[in-house]
Amino acid sequence: MTPTPAQLRTLRLAAQGIAVPGTSPTGAVERMTAVQGQDLGQVLWAIGVRTPGATRDDVCAAFDRGELVRSWPMRGTLHAVRPDDLRLLLSLTAERTLRSIARRATELGIDQPLLDRARDTTVAALSGGRALVRDELFDEYRAAGIDPTAGRGYHLLLQLSQEGLVAWGPTARVGQGLVLLDEWAPALTEVPDRDEALRRVLLGYLRGRGPATEADAASWTKLPLGDLRRARAAAGDTVEDLGGGLLALADRPTTGGTPTGHLLPGFDEYLLGYADRSAQLDPEHADRVVPGANGMFLPMAVVRGRVVGTWKRTERASGAAVTVTPFAELDDTSVRALEAAAARYARFLDAPVAFGVVEATSR
């Protein structure tokens, strides 16, 4: 029987591992295959919310140990990912990503000789296990006669990342250091052939997001729908058809036993992991989460699987303040559930967090 919207939300929360105890930061990311992470602070909490009891320092330590990196495994968007899963994804997506950014590379004056010079400069600067933050590496580019301004340096890094050459590794005072991927985190497994890689990626996608459709998976990976259908066929009875086009792992996790309120970061996979987000977010409120459809997803307040508002963090002399702006008036039970979520966020920050809810406002 096809899940109802309420059942779908419950199943997806369980698959996403939100507030589900018993895993590590690395284990949480492995479960998800990749976690969208163009904003470092947001992705640290995206991992933390899936690792109850872990602190921000615990999540940073997984990057510092080389268990996790950030790179562009698909859609030209930064994600947190295990190094071997990054290699797996790039084996499927890199060629398509490079084609999609070729025109912009030409506009920036990036030709093969310039890319070769950037590659040589990057290897020379980072060899021997060195890690440089972006501006330090761009200084090396300038010394080699490469102008990194106007987005050129960032675009060169994006291209080199598709070769599996560089990734963002250990945390720094501000941001992360860039490293040579194979030096920083040598491969532990071989990249399989394409059909097996497709099967693994689909299973990984469903493990962290199911139930979902083939169209959802295609949107997330930006792979052709035909590839996802091949992956579905290869997966056999490890994947179950729930009706309505919804697929889930046959051995999906049980539901229940977790909190009902959550404060999710901006760009969280609970929303961005799907092409059709209507089960989690009423389309009527979509522009409250993405104001002006500008691509910037605000942090979300979630109760019983529904996005019920947004929230923001304000720094204070001691700790922080979390303020929820609901789409409509919240009942006392929902407020208490979100207050409990703020307490979990305080444990993650290892700092006091004051919690408040402002009056719901109309559009």
Side-chain angles (χ1 to χ4, degrees), residues 10-332:
T10 300
L11 289 165
R12 285 179 172 175
L13 280 173
Q16 294 253 346
I18 294 171
V20 175
T23 191
S24 65
T26 302
V29 175
E30 180 178 14
R31 175 186 192 140
M32 299 294 294
T33 302
V35 178
Q36 187 155 330
Q38 60 266 62
D39 182 294
L40 179 59
Q42 300 279 13
V43 76
L44 293 177
W45 175 228
I47 298 168
V49 80
R50 292 167 170 84
T51 319
T55 65
R56 188 179 188 277
D57 287 345
D58 293 331
V59 179
C60 287
F63 286 96
D64 296 341
R65 292 191 297 266
E67 295 173 7
L68 299 175
V69 296
R70 276 198 310 156
S71 187
W72 295 268
M74 54 207 156
R75 310 196 311 270
T77 302
L78 280 166
H79 286 71
V81 60
R82 292 191 318 132
D84 276 358
D85 286 337
L86 172 60
R87 296 179 176 100
L88 175 72
L89 287 161
L90 288 176
S91 75
L92 299 172
T93 63
E95 183 179 345
R96 295 178 65 84
T97 299
L98 289 171
R99 285 202 304 268
S100 73
I101 63 176
R103 179 176 178 179
R104 181 57 179 157
T106 300
E107 293 171 349
L108 291 170
I110 298 174
D111 55 14
Q112 193 60 48
L114 181 60
L115 181 61
D116 291 343
R117 196 185 333 159
R119 184 186 301 107
D120 292 344
T121 302
T122 300
V123 171
L126 301 180
S127 288
R130 293 188 69 197
L132 297 179
V133 297
R134 184 188 62 183
D135 287 349
E136 291 172 336
L137 182 58
F138 284 0
D139 285 342
E140 298 289 333
Y141 281 8
R142 291 186 181 93
I146 301 169
D147 179 8
T149 61
R152 191 173 295 105
Y154 189 86
H155 204 281
L156 286 166
L157 288 176
L158 173 56
Q159 288 192 256
L160 294 175
S161 76
Q162 299 306 293
E163 301 175 10
L165 181 71
V166 294
W168 303 88
T171 55
R173 187 177 62 84
V174 177
Q176 286 174 279
L178 287 153
V179 293
L180 297 178
L181 178 62
D182 286 347
E183 275 195 6
W184 176 251
L188 301 178
T189 59
E190 292 185 2
V191 175
D193 63 46
R194 184 174 181 82
D195 283 349
E196 174 61 12
L198 285 169
R199 187 189 72 86
R200 291 186 191 180
V201 167
L202 177 61
L203 293 181
Y205 171 80
L206 292 174
R207 181 177 60 243
R209 294 163 189 81
T213 65
E214 292 172 347
D216 288 325
S219 175
W220 187 72
T221 59
K222 281 296 181 282
L223 291 171
L225 191 56
D227 278 354
L228 275 303
R229 288 171 177 159
R230 285 170 57 195
R232 168 66 184 94
D237 59 8
T238 60
V239 171
E240 184 178 347
D241 188 337
L242 303 185
L246 291 168
L247 305 175
L249 294 188
D251 63 348
R252 55 190 175 276
T254 57
T255 60
T258 57
T260 57
H262 309 283
L263 295 174
L264 302 184
F267 304 102
D268 194 78
E269 292 284 343
Y270 185 59
L271 206 59
L272 274 75
Y274 309 90
D276 181 355
R277 302 157 182 165
S278 58
Q280 297 98 291
L281 174 64
D282 190 325
E284 176 186 356
H285 301 308
D287 64 344
R288 305 283 292 273
V289 175
V290 194
N294 62 4
M296 299 297 292
F297 285 72
L298 299 180
M300 300 171 290
V302 175
V303 177
R304 290 181 288 279
R306 291 302 301 267
V307 180
V308 297
T310 60
W311 64 279
K312 66 178 181 179
R313 167 183 163 180
T314 306
E315 298 299 327
R316 306 179 74 180
S318 175
V322 162
T323 305
V324 172
T325 301
F327 302 148
E329 185 177 355
L330 300 175
D331 60 31
D332 290 345

Side-chain angles (χ1 to χ4, degrees), residues 55-57 345-352:
T55 65
R56 188 179 188 277
D57 287 345
Y345 186 51
R347 289 194 291 273
F348 171 78
L349 296 177
D350 194 21

